[in-house]
Amino acid sequence: MTGEVLRILLLVLQLGFLALLYLILIGFSRALLRDLRSAEVTQMASQSGIGRLSVVESPADEPALGSAIALGPINSIGREVNSTIFIDDDFVSGLHAMLTFRGRSWFIEDQGSTNGTYVNGHRIDRPVALSFGDELTIGRVRMRLER
Amino acid sequence: MHAVPRPLELRLLLPLVILVPLGFAVTHIAQTSTLDPGPMAVAIGYVGLMLGAHLALRLVGNRGDELLLPCVATMGGIGIVMLNRLPQELLGTDAFGVRFGMATTQLLWFGVGVSAMVLLAGRFRDDGVLRHYKYTWALAGTLLLVITFLFGREVNGARLWIFLGPIGFQPGEAIKVVLVIFIAGYLAEKRTLLAGASARIGPFSVPPLPYLLPMIAIFVIVMLVVVVSRDLGTALLFMGIFLTMLFVATGRRSYVLLGILLFIAGSFVAYNLFGHVRIRVDNWIDPFVDPSDRGYQTVQALYAFGRGGLFGEGLGQGLPTISGHLPIPALPTDFIFAAVAEELGLIGAFALLALVMCLVFRGLRTAMLARDDFSAMLAVGLTVSLGLQTLIIAAGNVKLVPLTGITFPFVSYGGSSLLACFVIVGLLLAISHRSVVDAQIEGRGQ
C-alpha cells in the first residue's frame, strides 16, 4: 500500500518537475516577446541615421567629449565654423577632411590638411574605406565611427 | 561602476530555487523507493551559486542582457540534476587528498566558470586587448594546441588533455574562444575589402584571396592540428564557425558555397585517410552492423531515446545500469542529451533545445545591437559556437550526423568545456553592456 502511495507521489513530483521547467520556458518566451515588441519601436527610431561619430578624445571640448555626432551622407570636417563637423583645435585645418557615405560604406579623404588625417593611428594619403569601430584622429581629436 | 538592478534576471532565476532541489529529491526517491529526499548540499550550492552570480553582476554594474544568465542557469540545472543522479564514482576528481564525486566536481567547475563570467562582464571594458593583439592570440592558441598534441595525455584515443597536478583540462575548448576572437578581429578590419571588389571567373565571383590568406593560413594550421589529434567534433565546429562568420561579415553566398565544397572534399579525404573517421561514419550509416562493439554506444543511445518516448521514463527511473555500469560509457559527457531524453522524454529534450534557442537568439540580438564591427562579429562567432556545438552533439546523439565527441554546452560533465562556455557568456554580457550604455548616452545627447 505504501509502495502504491510512493509511486503516485513520485509521479506527481516528476510531472511537477516537467511543469516547472515549462513554466520557466513560458517566462522566457514572454520576456522575449516583450523585448521584440519594444525592439521594433527602437528600431524605427534609430533607422533614420546611417552612422555617427562618438568623440573619444577632445582637448578643447568642441565637439564635446563623450558626445555622439549624427552623420549625414556628406560631412566636411574642419576648423571652419561652417563645417558639418566643427572641430575647435589648433592642429586642425580649415577644411581638414571629408567623410562620405557611398554605396554601402563610409569613406574618409584628407583635404590637404597640414597635420594629416589618421585612421586607427595610420596617416592616410588617399580615400580610405572605413569600418564601423574605426578610429579617426584629426588634430588632437579622436572620434570613433559607429552605427 | 555602481550597482544596477537586474529585475528580469532575478525573476527568471527564482524558479530554480525549487526546480533543482526538486530534481534532486525526485531522483533520490525514485532510486531508493523511500520518502527520503537525499543529500541536498550540491543542489543548494548550485542555486546559491547562480543567485550569487546574479548579485555579482548587479554589483559590478553590468547592464547587459538579462536573459543570458537565467537561460544558462536553467540548462546547467537540468545538467546537474542528471549528473547527481548517475553513479557518482563514474567520474570525478581526486584533488587535495579528497575524492570529489561527479556532481561535486561539476559544481566546483560551475563556481570557476561563473567567477570568470562575472569578471569578464564587469571588468572587460576595452576590447583593444583582443582586437589589436589578434595575431598574438592566434599564435598563443596554436602553440597551446601543438603543445597538447605533443605532450598531452591520451584519453580514449585522442590526445586532448593537459594535466597540471590533479586538474586536467582540454585546451581545445580555449582555442575555440581564441579562434573566434582572431577571426572577428581580422574580419572587422578587412570587412570593407572583402565585401567589395573581387575577380570573376565565368559566373562565379572569386573571393579576393590575398586579403583572406593570413586568416585562411591560421585556420588551416588549427584545423590540421585538430584533425591529426583526432578531435573530429571540434574540427566540424571550427569549420562551421569560420564559414558563418565569413558569411556574416561579407554577406556573400559564394564564400559559403566554396567552404562547403572544400569541407566535403576534406571529409572525403579524411574518410579515406584515417581509420577512426571511417569507423565513425560507418557507425553512423548503420550502427547495427556491430551493435555490441563499435556501434554499441550509438545503438544504446537510440534505445534510450526509444525508451524515453514522449514523456520519458520519469526522472530517476530510466538509465538502467548493467552490473553497476551505465549502458552508455560516455553518458555524462557526450550522451547527456540521450540521458535527458530518456528520463524526461521528447518534451524534456525539447525544453532543453528551446533554452539553447533562447540563448542563441539573445546572442544574435547582442550582435545586432553592437555598435562596432568587431563587437558584432565577436558576438556572432561566440553565439554560433554555442549553437553549433549543441547542434552537432544533439544531432550526433540521435544519429542524424556521425557522432563526434564534443560536449553539450552547460549540461555535459566537463570542466574545460564549462569554463569556456561561461567565458563566452561573460564576453556576450560585456558586449551587450557596452551597447546598452552607448544607447543611453545617445538618448541623453539628442
Side-chain angles (χ1 to χ4, degrees):
Chain A
M1 192 59 215
T2 43
E4 193 72 2
V5 174
L6 199 68
R7 227 166 48 84
I8 293 169
L9 179 74
L10 184 60
L11 186 66
V12 170
L13 286 180
Q14 283 168 340
L15 290 178
F17 184 84
L18 274 179
L20 188 58
L21 192 55
Y22 269 78
L23 272 178
I24 294 177
L25 280 182
I26 290 171
F28 275 115
S29 42
R30 281 177 55 185
L32 285 177
L33 276 178
R34 202 176 318 127
D35 174 71
L36 276 178
R37 291 207 185 97
S38 67
E40 259 170 49
V41 180
T42 34
Q43 194 77 29
M44 274 187 282
S46 69
Q47 241 166 20
S48 51
I50 40 180
R52 53 186 204 136
L53 280 179
S54 82
V55 182
V56 184
E57 197 179 313
S58 179
D61 216 39
E62 177 57 53
L65 184 68
S67 68
I69 307 162
L71 296 172
I74 300 169
N75 310 275
S76 57
I77 305 174
R79 199 144 56 108
E80 156 81 42
V81 281
N82 289 324
S83 304
T84 325
I85 298 165
F86 166 58
I87 299 178
D88 184 18
D89 184 275
D90 291 344
F91 294 86
V92 173
S93 303
L95 175 57
H96 196 106
M98 292 293 287
L99 179 63
T100 49
F101 187 72
R102 291 179 233 157
R104 286 167 60 192
S105 35
W106 283 98
F107 288 84
I108 181 95
E109 184 172 4
D110 192 81
Q111 301 294 316
S113 67
T114 315
N115 292 312
T117 302
Y118 293 78
V119 174
N120 296 330
H122 300 288
R123 188 165 180 166
I124 59 167
D125 51 6
R126 60 200 157 88
V128 168
L130 296 174
S131 303
F132 291 104
D134 281 348
E135 214 166 72
L136 292 178
T137 310
I138 289 167
R140 290 177 300 175
V141 175
R142 287 196 298 132
M143 295 173 291
R144 196 170 54 233
L145 181 68
E146 293 177 339
R147 62 167 66 91
Chain B
M1 186 168 85
H2 50 274
V4 291
R6 298 169 68 86
L8 181 62
E9 184 174 84
L10 182 61
R11 201 161 69 235
L12 290 171
L13 273 176
L14 276 181
L16 286 185
V17 175
I18 305 172
L19 187 83
V20 178
L22 179 66
F24 274 56
V26 169
T27 49
H28 198 262
I29 291 171
Q31 283 177 311
T32 56
S33 299
T34 53
L35 257 179
D36 178 20
M40 280 292 159
V42 174
I44 292 168
Y46 181 79
V47 174
L49 185 65
M50 288 307 157
L51 290 177
H54 162 74
L55 280 181
L57 283 181
R58 282 170 62 161
L59 283 178
V60 296
N62 187 292
R63 293 174 190 276
D65 199 303
E66 291 188 46
L67 256 69
L68 291 175
L69 178 65
C71 212
V72 163
T74 313
M75 287 168 70
I78 298 173
I80 205 143
V81 166
M82 293 308 298
L83 292 179
N84 183 63
R85 159 246 178 287
L86 296 170
Q88 287 305 296
E89 61 286 355
L90 200 64
L91 284 167
T93 340
D94 290 298
F96 320 115
V98 189
R99 172 79 190 166
F100 293 108
M102 195 160 60
T104 319
T105 311
Q106 182 81 339
L107 179 62
L108 292 177
W109 276 111
F110 264 114
V112 175
V114 161
S115 315
M117 177 190 76
V118 170
L119 206 68
L120 282 171
R123 289 289 173 190
F124 182 70
R125 295 281 190 261
D126 176 25
D127 60 11
V129 191
L130 299 182
R131 193 201 300 237
H132 297 311
Y133 299 106
K134 53 183 176 300
Y135 286 105
T136 316
W137 282 96
L139 195 69
T142 317
L143 267 180
L144 191 60
L145 212 56
V146 173
I147 287 173
T148 320
F149 179 60
L150 294 178
F151 306 109
R153 189 181 298 179
E154 201 161 312
V155 179
N156 296 332
R159 196 175 286 178
L160 307 173
W161 292 82
I162 283 186
F163 279 84
L164 291 177
I167 300 156
F169 66 97
Q170 286 182 290
E173 298 287 346
I175 310 297
K176 184 173 64 185
V177 182
V178 170
L179 192 70
V180 169
I181 293 171
F182 169 71
I183 299 177
Y186 191 88
L187 287 178
E189 191 182 87
K190 301 277 196 294
R191 196 181 72 97
T192 29
L193 291 175
L194 292 174
S198 70
R200 276 183 170 273
I201 300 179
F204 303 104
S205 58
V206 177
L209 278 180
Y211 298 135
L212 281 173
L213 222 53
M215 185 172 64
I216 290 176
I218 283 180
F219 183 70
V220 165
I221 294 170
V222 170
M223 282 296 269
L224 273 182
V225 179
V226 168
V227 168
V228 171
S229 58
R230 301 184 165 192
D231 197 357
L232 296 178
T234 310
L236 185 60
L237 181 62
F238 283 0
M239 193 70 202
I241 294 172
F242 178 68
L243 287 182
T244 316
M245 289 180 76
L246 199 57
F247 178 65
V248 170
T250 59
R252 304 177 72 174
R253 291 188 192 88
S254 56
Y255 289 178
V256 181
L257 208 67
L258 199 71
I260 290 174
L261 287 179
L262 280 177
F263 180 72
I264 291 172
S267 312
F268 196 73
V269 170
Y271 179 81
N272 286 307
L273 218 58
F274 302 111
H276 60 282
V277 179
R278 212 169 310 142
I279 293 172
R280 292 285 171 89
V281 176
D282 292 344
N283 264 336
W284 166 58
I285 292 167
D286 189 3
F288 290 94
V289 168
D290 191 1
S292 54
D293 183 25
R294 286 181 174 172
Y296 180 69
Q297 290 213 95
T298 315
V299 168
Q300 292 298 327
L302 288 176
Y303 286 160
F305 280 103
R307 279 196 300 272
L310 190 55
F311 292 100
E313 294 253 74
L315 195 55
Q317 287 179 307
L319 305 166
T321 50
I322 302 164
S323 62
H325 294 288
L326 288 166
I328 309 171
L331 191 77
T333 50
D334 297 353
F335 281 99
I336 195 83
F337 186 63
V340 171
E342 175 168 0
E343 298 220 315
L344 298 175
L346 185 66
I347 57 168
F350 269 173
L352 200 53
L353 292 181
L355 287 168
V356 180
M357 265 174 64
C358 175
L359 188 63
V360 169
F361 181 81
R362 295 305 279 198
L364 292 181
R365 177 181 177 275
T366 302
M368 231 171 65
L369 295 179
R371 291 289 177 165
D372 60 283
D373 284 348
F374 177 69
S375 302
M377 291 303 302
L378 190 60
V380 166
L382 295 173
T383 307
V384 164
S385 80
L386 285 181
L388 266 183
Q389 191 175 336
T390 313
L391 191 70
I392 292 171
I393 191 59
N397 273 202
V398 298
K399 203 176 86 66
L400 196 65
V401 301
L403 180 76
T404 49
I406 52 175
T407 55
F408 199 113
F410 301 106
V411 185
S412 283
Y413 175 80
S416 339
S417 153
L418 211 50
L419 179 56
C421 290
F422 272 108
V423 164
I424 288 175
V425 175
L427 286 173
L428 285 177
L429 279 169
I431 295 169
S432 157
H433 170 81
R434 267 224 308 272
S435 44
V436 170
V437 170
D438 278 1
Q440 280 170 349
I441 291 172
E442 187 178 31
R444 271 206 301 275
Q446 287 174 354

